[in-house]
Amino acid sequence: MNLKRKLKLGIIGLSAAFLVACGSTPADSGSGSGSEEKLIVGTDAAYAPFESLDGEKIVGFDVELLNAVMKEAGLEYELKNIGWEPLFIALQNNEVDAGISAITINDERKKSYDFSSPYFESVNMILAKEGTSIKSAKDLEGKKVSVQNGTTGQEALEKMFGANENIKKYENNVLAIQALLNGEVEAVVADNAVVQEYAKNNPDKKLVTITDKENFESEFYGIIFPKDGEHQEEINKAVKKVIEDGKYAEIYKKWFGEEPNVDALKQ
Ligand code: ARG
């Protein structure tokens, strides 16, 4: 657990002791023995097949990978669905110990957060309606396009066309796709596995996916940590182990139906 959270719990513990001394009982204090310390891992569970909700349950590739990694590291944890932007705020405030959410490792983010070594290769992709005239990212110029706010999809569009009104930003990717279905935008830009999965699972929506290897760069996902948090080293070791010992390939095959290119992750 990080220092700030330890301090917080310490304060709760102290006030609980004080209340008990005063003869009143604390409502729901966290004054346990502390023996089974649980890490809190945050996510935005609206990004299938990486993380999404099945009823109350968070499911997906990231969820199973995290499970394997934490088992390997021998760490107790709880995965919480807190949303995309709130996750980054929670990391900055040390309210979570880590995050897993198909998060691309990039230099900008590295200034404020730490990352594990890469666990998944990804690239942005366009989702549009059948019959669209869009053939490449360049064709998005002057068209309304939706993205999830604060993602590399937004960044890629802004890099090509500058920040402008046609880039419609949504709190999560489900809403970004909804905007396409409603006809509010002509395309969505998001991670390839996510848009492909959506198009495949919703044939009635008549959607197509468009790649553009020139304008969309290859990206790698990592588990994210608060800068100088306490657990990245052991978790990172476990990430590498799980990739090496074949557990990763097993989970990958289950979700993507093919062998992963593990070599691409070793850079
Ligand atoms: N890989 C992209 C990024 O890091 C999009 C990730 C969005 N993840 C999510 N769970 N909504 O910016």
Side-chain angles (χ1 to χ4, degrees):
M1 195 184 300
N2 64 58
L3 199 61
K4 272 194 208 158
R5 284 206 12 244
K6 257 185 206 152
L7 277 173
K8 251 190 228 165
L9 284 183
I11 290 165
I12 293 169
L14 275 179
S15 33
F18 177 75
L19 285 171
V20 168
C22 293
S24 58
T25 23
D28 66 328
S29 78
S31 59
S33 64
S35 57
E36 8 116 31
E37 181 190 308
K38 250 192 193 174
L39 303 194
I40 308 292
V41 183
T43 192
D44 167 31
Y47 217 59
F50 296 100
E51 44 267 326
S52 62
L53 287 177
D54 180 4
E56 302 259 282
K57 231 178 133 209
I58 309 172
V59 297
F61 173 80
D62 279 355
V63 179
E64 287 183 25
L65 179 66
L66 178 71
N67 188 41
V69 166
M70 296 306 243
K71 210 169 177 187
E72 174 64 38
L75 293 168
E76 294 275 325
Y77 72 99
E78 186 186 339
L79 182 61
K80 281 196 174 162
N81 181 23
I82 60 179
W84 180 247
E85 285 178 308
L87 170 58
F88 290 90
I89 295 165
L91 285 158
Q92 292 208 5
N93 293 337
N94 280 291
E95 286 160 6
V96 293
D97 298 284
I100 189 161
S101 211
I103 303 172
T104 300
I105 304 167
N106 64 25
D107 289 342
E108 188 55 35
R109 289 176 182 160
K110 274 197 213 158
K111 287 184 204 157
S112 313
Y113 312 95
D114 287 338
F115 283 95
S116 71
S117 53
Y119 71 82
F120 194 90
E121 188 171 7
S122 172
V123 66
N124 271 295
M125 204 173 195
I126 301 162
L127 181 69
K129 288 188 175 162
E130 251 176 49
T132 180
S133 61
I134 299 162
K135 291 195 179 61
S136 74
K138 288 271 183 284
D139 296 332
L140 297 174
E141 181 146 34
K143 294 194 170 71
K144 286 188 182 138
V145 183
S146 62
V147 293
Q148 181 179 14
N149 198 20
T151 57
T152 55
Q154 177 186 341
E155 193 193 326
L157 288 173
E158 289 181 350
K159 208 167 142 194
M160 276 187 287
F161 310 124
N164 70 80
E165 293 230 303
N166 282 325
I167 304 173
K168 305 292 177 197
K169 294 169 270 183
Y170 293 85
E171 181 186 329
N172 66 51
N173 201 58
V174 171
L175 294 174
I177 293 178
Q178 201 57 48
L180 172 69
L181 302 179
N182 295 343
E184 287 163 43
V185 299
E186 277 188 57
V188 184
V189 173
D191 293 357
N192 60 335
V194 173
V195 300
Q196 282 171 323
E197 162 106 349
Y198 189 84
K200 192 183 87 197
N201 290 344
N202 298 276
D204 55 311
K205 303 283 187 330
K206 302 196 182 319
L207 301 170
V208 290
T209 56
I210 301 137
T211 46
D212 186 335
K213 290 271 149 66
E214 254 171 64
N215 292 292
F216 295 141
E217 288 166 14
S218 166
E219 303 178 5
F220 290 91
Y221 299 163
I223 298 177
I224 194 167
F225 305 97
K227 263 247 173 281
D228 309 316
E230 274 175 41
H231 298 282
Q232 39 260 60
E233 247 169 72
E234 49 188 329
I235 292 176
N236 197 34
K237 243 192 226 155
V239 168
K240 289 187 178 155
K241 179 82 199 309
V242 163
I243 291 175
E244 270 158 30
D245 72 7
K247 185 75 196 153
Y248 173 87
E250 204 179 287
I251 300 169
Y252 190 102
K253 265 185 272 175
K254 174 178 164 194
W255 286 90
F256 301 103
E258 57 185 30
E259 286 287 338
N261 177 3
V262 170
D263 287 339
L265 303 175
K266 293 178 192 147
Q267 19 124 298

